[in-house]
Amino acid sequence: MTKVHNLNNTADRRPPKGYATWREWWEDKKGRRFSTCSCSTCVRSAEVGAHVQKHGSSDRRWYIVPLCRSCNGKSSDETFYVRDNDLEPINK
């Protein structure tokens, strides 16, 4: 598990050309479909490709991870854990 926080106010960030949504981009990069929310304390279905950043890390890259709408609504001050293999960096 990796500790992360949401990057708020990213609704204007569009996925790379050729993808309609961050979900579509993530599923293509990972070669699998969304299932449950990646947040360790949640059992809902993942609905969105959420922008997160590793918390307390020197790695400042942005990642897309599958979250439900509720977990995606957490403020950037709230930290939570996600499955390591669900993190997909936007820029490698």
Side-chain angles (χ1 to χ4, degrees), residues 4-82:
V4 300
H5 59 266
N6 278 328
L7 292 167
N8 298 131
N9 302 315
T10 60
D12 63 332
R13 300 284 181 156
R14 299 290 172 231
K17 193 172 185 169
Y19 297 97
T21 65
W22 284 108
R23 177 182 183 152
E24 183 183 306
W25 177 85
W26 184 94
E27 289 178 340
D28 183 54
K29 295 296 179 190
K30 291 293 192 185
R32 56 189 168 102
R33 299 272 181 210
F34 272 19
S35 59
T36 58
C37 180
S38 189
C39 179
S40 64
T41 59
C42 186
V43 296
R44 294 181 194 97
S45 293
E47 301 168 276
V48 297
H51 292 80
V52 298
Q53 196 169 43
K54 291 181 179 178
H55 187 79
S57 171
S58 61
D59 179 355
R60 305 310 297 160
R61 291 180 293 177
W62 289 16
Y63 292 84
I64 297 297
V65 67
L67 294 180
C68 68
R69 293 195 190 285
S70 178
C71 290
N72 188 43
K74 294 177 188 237
S75 76
S76 60
D77 294 333
E78 293 180 74
T79 60
F80 54 99
Y81 288 89
V82 297

